[in-house]
């Protein structure tokens, strides 16, 4: 896209956000994202409908313009007149505007089975929105031509922009529905989801799926060779995901309903070729004392502790992988070490040759936490093999006894004055390093780099009691002064102990001297 077009699109996103932000006075931010995104979806669906209607008329089939099948055959949602944006816009100044919007969304969902459970239900009326502000919002959205630039997906960009802005605004505890796009891009570049089944057990607003499809398109793949499965427990986030995917024409099976992945698995028999996930961090009391103890997903492992769901998520994903499946997922750093059941499960995962890479993500990357988190790569087939990816051949070496560690805490660029994101160049370099390490010619293309990466043999993991903390393995060197931090730290600790010992001896001599003089201390 030319710079001028990009700036124009960006201006649309920012202008619309500023207009929508005016709702803040009457609606909680956690609520009004559903208002805004519901209206954006309605405008987009209407524009697509009107475009298809014009095509039918141009083909000389005007008598069929109200027949649903002529829209469905082109993957366009059929809209009755009361569901069309022209009707909503024309009635924007009416007192019952909220009711009309609810009716429009309900009617669209009723007429299009693919949208079952996707759209807000009696949402606008229930919120009691200020009718003047709602009318102003409708007028502003009316200015967007959602089909203006099909190649660069303006409506998708607007939707993505809003998801990110809402996640930032809601912050800790409420922004879990959104994973920063650059992290999803990194995940896709690492696990390369070209074809087969993609699964996300905690899919949020569907960002993993959107970026997977974009990865395929950017690498000249065929998105028809991908099947998407996901699950989400929050009813409102479940709707966000369905709308997000519908806007982009992405077909997905998100289960029959919103449901908890542990207690109501919507895809029990699924075997996925790729898993991409950002499950909730450190969930407490995710199961009862005796609940799920005999769940088949833990077969061959200890039962994950009820005090923390991190290893429950890991084993859920391991159980869903196909024989050649690969998973990329985000977890809090606490999962890298620790004892009890987690230690036993982690040890078994390592001994079963499932863990391929552990990557520390920069701090302040996520809107819901300012801590550094970890990207795990689990691979069911780390053996030597050759696969065909589009027009290129990929030759894997045997990596069963190795794990690649990468530390990205010094990577990325600042934005919004409080967050960090990996740039496209960062992602390209990180992915290249990872894939070089995987290849049969790795000894000529890959090398351990201090403060960045280290290939670690199973024996060293065993020596460190199966800890997956990267700093235990990656060499840290001060490049400016060529100081090995590990060696220097040991020297400092030794000197400090000697100093303490000397101080203690001096105190004892002083006390003895006072006692000799007859003082009681």
């Amino acid at each position: 896209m030319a710079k001028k077009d990009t700036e124009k699109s960006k201006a649309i996103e920012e202008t619309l956000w500023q207009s929508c932000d005016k709702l803040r006075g009457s609606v909680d931010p956690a609520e009004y994202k559903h208002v805004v995104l519901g209206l954006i979806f309605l405008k987009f669906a209407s524009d697509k409908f009107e475009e298809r209607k014009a095509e039918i008329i141009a083909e000389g089939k005007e008598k069929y313009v109200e027949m649903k099948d002529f829209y469905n055959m082109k993957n366009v949602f059929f809209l009755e007149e009361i569901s069309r944006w022209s009707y909503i816009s024309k009635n924007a100044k009416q007192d019952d505007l909220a009711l009309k919007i609810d009716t429009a969304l309900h009617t669209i969902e009723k007429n299009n089975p693919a949208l079952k459970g996707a759209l807000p239900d009696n949402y606008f009326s229930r919120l009691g929105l200020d009718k003047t502000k709602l009318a102003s919002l409708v007028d502003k959205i009316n200015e967007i031509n959602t089909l203006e630039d099909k190649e660069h997906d303006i409506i998708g960009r607007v939707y993505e922009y809003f998801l990110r802005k809402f996640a930032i605004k809601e912050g800790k505890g409420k922004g879990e529905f959104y994973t920063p796009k650059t992290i999803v891009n990194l995940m896709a570049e690492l696990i390369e989801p070209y074809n087969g089944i993609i699964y996300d057990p905690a899919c949020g607003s569907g960002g993993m799926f959107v970026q997977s499809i974009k990865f395929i398109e950017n690498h000249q793949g065929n998105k028809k060779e991908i099947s998407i499965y996901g699950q989400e427990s929050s009813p409102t986030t479940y709707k966000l995901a369905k709308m997000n995917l519908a806007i982009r024409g992405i077909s997905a099976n998100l289960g029959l309903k919103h449901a908890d992945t542990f207690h109501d698995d919507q895809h029990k028999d699924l075997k996925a070729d790729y898993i991409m996930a950002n499950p909730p961090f450190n969930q407490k009391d995710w199961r009862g004392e005796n609940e799920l103890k005999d769940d088949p997903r833990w077969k061959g492992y200890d039962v994950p502790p009820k005090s923390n769901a991190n290893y429950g998520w890991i084993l859920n994903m391991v159980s869903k992988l196909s024989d050649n499946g690969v998973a990329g997922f985000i977890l809090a750093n606490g999962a890298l070490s620790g004892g009890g059941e987690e230690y036993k499960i982690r040890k078994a995962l390592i001994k079963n040759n499932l863990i391929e890479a552990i990557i520390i993500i920069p701090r302040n990357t996520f809107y819901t936490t300012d801590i550094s988190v970890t990207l795990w790569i689990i691979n069911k087939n780390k053996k030597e093999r050759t696969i065909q990816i589009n027009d290129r051949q990929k030759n894997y070496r045997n990596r069963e006894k190795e794990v690649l560690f990468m530390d990205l805490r010094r990577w990325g660029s600042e934005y919004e004055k409080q967050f960090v994101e990996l740039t496209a160049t960062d992602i390209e370099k990180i992915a290249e390093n990872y894939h070089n390490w995987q290849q049969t010619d790795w000894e000529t293309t890959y090398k351990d780099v201090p403060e960045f990466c280290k290939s670690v043999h199973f024996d060293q993991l065993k020596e460190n009691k199966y800890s997956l903390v990267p700093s235990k393995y990656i060499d840290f060197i001060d490049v400016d002064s060529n100081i090995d931090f590990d060696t220097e730290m040991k020297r400092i600790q030794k000197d400090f102990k000697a100093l303490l010992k000397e101080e203690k001896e001096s105190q004892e001599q002083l006390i003895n001297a006072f006692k000799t003089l007859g003082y009681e201390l």
Side-chain angles (χ1 to χ4, degrees), residues 414-476:
E414 188 182 84
Y415 73 100
E416 300 266 352
K417 296 182 179 179
Q418 56 180 324
F419 301 111
V420 172
E421 65 180 357
L422 295 171
T423 66
T425 302
D426 289 337
I427 292 171
E428 183 181 351
K429 289 179 179 178
I430 296 161
E432 180 182 29
N433 186 66
Y434 170 71
H435 294 307
N436 284 344
W437 175 81
Q438 290 181 310
Q439 303 302 300
T440 52
D441 60 346
W442 76 293
E443 291 180 323
T444 60
T445 60
Y446 168 86
K447 67 176 181 178
D448 294 334
V449 178
E451 302 184 11
F452 172 42
C453 63
K454 182 75 174 282
S455 181
V456 176
H457 191 271
F458 176 86
D459 292 341
Q460 196 173 352
L461 296 174
K462 186 177 180 181
E463 287 174 10
N464 281 281
K465 298 179 180 179
Y466 302 100
S467 170
L468 293 174
V469 176
S471 60
K472 286 184 177 291
Y473 308 102
I474 295 175
D475 297 320
F476 285 87

Side-chain angles (χ1 to χ4, degrees), residues 300-301 347-355 379-380 400 458:
Y301 296 89
K347 177 181 176 180
L349 290 169
I350 293 170
K351 295 184 79 169
N352 289 340
N353 294 310
L354 290 174
I355 298 176
N379 196 328
K380 286 290 285 288
E400 285 195 316
F458 176 86

Side-chain angles (χ1 to χ4, degrees), residues 51 81 103-104 108 152 183 216 247 251 325 413 445 448 469 517:
E51 180 185 52
E81 182 152 356
T103 303
I108 293 174
H152 293 96
I183 298 302
I216 292 167
I247 272 178
S251 178
S413 299
T445 60
D448 294 334
V469 176
L517 294 173

Side-chain angles (χ1 to χ4, degrees), residues 56-243:
I56 295 171
I57 294 172
E59 291 167 2
K61 301 174 182 177
E62 190 168 351
K63 62 181 180 180
Y64 301 121
V65 293
E66 295 298 325
M67 291 186 66
K68 190 186 303 184
D69 291 345
F70 276 80
Y71 295 87
N72 294 343
M73 64 189 293
K74 294 287 187 178
N75 293 318
V76 173
F77 299 121
F78 176 77
L79 276 59
E80 293 183 20
E81 182 152 356
I82 57 171
S83 297
R84 297 170 195 172
W85 187 261
S86 55
Y87 177 81
I88 297 298
S89 180
K90 185 172 66 177
N91 289 279
K93 303 300 184 283
Q94 300 298 314
D95 290 342
D96 63 347
L97 174 60
L99 177 61
K100 283 183 166 59
I101 294 171
D102 277 329
T103 303
L105 291 169
H106 172 74
T107 307
I108 293 174
E109 187 171 319
K110 181 185 70 174
N111 287 327
N112 299 277
L115 290 174
K116 184 180 179 182
L119 305 180
D121 182 25
N122 295 327
Y123 200 83
F124 290 77
S125 304
R126 182 160 41 88
L127 281 179
L129 294 162
D130 182 290
K131 61 183 181 182
T132 303
K133 289 183 177 180
L134 182 57
S136 175
L137 182 55
V138 168
D139 288 344
K140 183 57 65 174
I141 291 176
N142 193 47
E143 297 174 9
I144 304 177
N145 180 353
T146 67
L147 308 178
E148 183 178 19
D149 189 343
K150 294 180 181 179
E151 183 180 351
H152 293 96
D153 185 22
I154 285 181
I155 191 63
R157 286 169 56 99
V158 169
Y159 202 94
E160 177 72 26
Y161 182 84
F162 270 65
L163 286 173
R164 180 171 70 91
K165 294 291 278 188
F166 280 124
I168 291 172
K169 188 170 287 292
E170 292 180 28
K172 297 177 184 177
K174 292 184 178 180
E176 290 91 345
F177 62 87
Y178 182 80
T179 304
K181 187 168 68 173
T182 59
I183 298 302
V184 186
N185 288 347
L186 173 63
M187 215 179 287
E189 290 292 339
L190 295 177
I191 73 172
E192 299 184 304
Y194 279 100
N195 52 58
I197 293 173
I198 298 178
Y199 169 63
D200 183 347
C203 69
S205 54
M208 300 290 181
F209 304 136
V210 172
Q211 295 307 319
S212 295
I213 296 299
K214 287 187 177 180
F215 170 85
I216 292 167
E217 292 172 341
N218 292 339
H219 292 268
Q220 291 73 53
N222 185 354
K223 63 183 181 181
K224 292 181 180 179
E225 295 179 357
I226 283 287
S227 298
I228 290 173
Y229 290 80
Q231 185 158 347
E232 173 56 41
S233 62
S234 164
T236 52
T237 306
Y238 177 80
K239 292 177 185 292
L240 276 185
K242 283 212 160 192
M243 280 196 292

